Amino acid sequence: MIGPHSAGAATAAGFDGDALTALGARLLADGSAEKQGDWIVLGPEVCTIRIPDVTPELTLNSAEVQATFRRDLWVPSLAYLQDSPETTETLRERGLSLRDFQEEGISADELREVGIDPDALAEHKTRPLCVSGGGPALIEELVESRGLSQDQSFHMAMEFFAAGLSDGKITFFSDSLLATPPGFMLTVPACWTPEEQAAITRSHAILEQHFGRFVRARGAETSCDTTNEVSDALMGRDAHLLWTQLAGREPENAWIGFEVFLIALGAGWFEGASATEKGRPRPPLCRL
C-alpha cells in the first residue's frame, strides 16, 4: 500500500519520499495498482504482501510481560465442582493435584464436601509458565508499572502480540474452533507435547507462506465499512476454506485467522484503534 503517510515514513526511514509518490503514480498509470480512497493498492505482479515487520518495545523478558504469564492449568472453583459432572477421576486425568487446589485457597476438607477425594488426586507437577494473560492483563500491568495511559498501553501490548505471533514465539493455537485456547501461549517445547509442537511449527509455516495470498483474497471480497466485517472475513468459515485451499490441507490451527487479525491490529492496519475504539480497517484487509 502507498497511503497518506507513506512518503513521510519513507523519508524518515532514509528513502526518497518523492520517488515513492512517483512510483505510485506510475503504477496507477500502467494498471499495476488501484486507487482506493486515499490508498494506492499495489497489485500482486509488483508487490508481495508479507507478514508485517512489527518492532515492539516490549519483549518476552519485559517485567510487565513476565508478570502476566501463568501455568496452562485451570483449577475449578468449589461452586463449579458442586454443580458440575467433574469427578475425582476426571480431575486426575487433567493432572490436577491437591496442591493445585490448595494454592487457590481450597482445602482437602472442602473438596470432600463436594464429592472429590483429595487423596486420590494426581501427584503435583511443577508446570512452566506458558500462558499469557492476554491484552487486558498486559495493558493493566503497563498502566500500573509505567504510568502510561490506557491507549498507550493498548498500542504497546498489541505491537508485542503482533510481533510474537509474526515470529512464531507465541501462538493462539487449538485444533478446534469449539476449544478456545487458554490464551497466547509460548511455543517453547516445555509447553507442548512433541506432536503439538510439530503441529504449531507447521501451522506457522503455513501462515508465513500464504499470508499475502490470504490477505489479498479476503480483502478483495470485504468492505472496509466496519471492523466486524473484516474480522468475519479473516476468521469465518470462508476464511477456513481458503486456508485449506491455499495450503492443500485443513489448517491444524483452527484459530489461524485470529492470529492474522491480531497481527494486522498490531501493525496499524486498523486506523484509530485504541483501548476503547475498534478502529477503521484499511486496505489490504478490505476494499474502500
Side-chain angles (χ1 to χ4, degrees):
M1 309 299 115
I2 299 177
H5 310 297
S6 296
T11 301
F15 297 101
D16 187 335
D18 292 337
L20 181 65
T21 302
L23 172 65
R26 177 171 63 80
L27 295 177
L28 283 173
D30 68 18
S32 300
E34 177 185 5
K35 185 75 169 173
Q36 290 189 32
D38 293 331
W39 295 89
I40 297 174
V41 183
L42 308 187
E45 64 273 22
V46 294
C47 172
T48 299
I49 298 175
R50 298 181 299 178
I51 294 181
D53 183 13
V54 180
T55 304
E57 182 173 340
L58 298 171
T59 70
L60 286 172
N61 293 323
S62 296
E64 295 85 358
V65 173
Q66 287 291 313
T68 70
F69 273 93
R70 56 181 171 79
R71 296 174 298 160
D72 180 18
L73 183 69
W74 176 64
V75 181
S77 66
L78 284 173
Y80 178 85
L81 292 174
Q82 181 72 55
D83 300 319
S84 78
E86 293 278 12
T87 65
T88 302
E89 186 57 33
T90 61
L91 295 177
R92 276 185 57 85
E93 290 174 355
R94 293 203 280 110
L96 284 162
S97 70
L98 173 59
R99 178 173 162 184
D100 294 322
F101 284 99
Q102 290 174 330
E103 288 178 351
E104 298 296 322
I106 300 173
S107 69
D109 288 340
E110 287 173 318
L111 288 172
R112 290 191 183 93
E113 290 176 2
V114 294
I116 302 299
D117 180 3
D119 300 324
L121 292 178
E123 293 296 321
H124 180 76
K125 295 180 180 179
T126 301
R127 291 174 170 81
L129 300 176
C130 293
V131 187
S132 165
L138 183 52
I139 290 170
E140 182 179 344
E141 286 289 336
L142 290 168
V143 169
E144 291 183 358
S145 67
R146 301 196 182 194
L148 301 177
S149 69
Q150 287 282 335
D151 285 347
Q152 289 172 319
S153 300
F154 168 84
H155 289 294
M156 193 177 291
M158 292 306 103
E159 288 176 354
F160 166 76
F161 287 117
L165 292 168
S166 296
D167 61 23
K169 291 181 179 178
I170 60 175
T171 185
F172 197 78
F173 185 93
S174 172
D175 60 6
S176 171
L177 281 174
L178 301 178
T180 306
F184 296 97
M185 293 189 68
L186 294 175
T187 55
V188 295
C191 297
W192 304 92
T193 67
E195 294 78 12
E196 291 169 334
Q197 187 77 24
I200 290 168
T201 300
R202 288 191 295 266
S203 176
H204 187 71
I206 288 173
L207 178 67
E208 287 186 320
Q209 182 179 357
H210 301 294
F211 181 88
R213 294 174 65 193
F214 175 80
V215 167
R216 280 197 188 276
R218 299 309 294 142
E221 300 179 1
T222 307
S223 166
C224 291
D225 287 345
T226 69
T227 297
N228 288 339
E229 289 181 68
V230 172
S231 62
D232 288 344
L234 297 179
M235 296 182 277
R237 182 175 183 275
D238 288 343
H240 186 82
L241 293 174
L242 178 58
W243 280 115
T244 302
Q245 176 185 336
L246 292 172
R249 59 183 294 179
E250 189 172 359
E252 292 176 275
N253 184 8
W255 296 80
I256 189 170
F258 183 67
E259 292 193 341
V260 174
F261 179 87
L262 263 295
I263 290 170
L265 181 62
W269 291 9
F270 291 84
E271 295 188 307
S274 69
T276 56
E277 299 293 332
K278 293 182 178 180
R280 180 179 177 83
R282 65 158 175 86
L285 295 174
C286 49
R287 294 182 62 85
L288 293 167

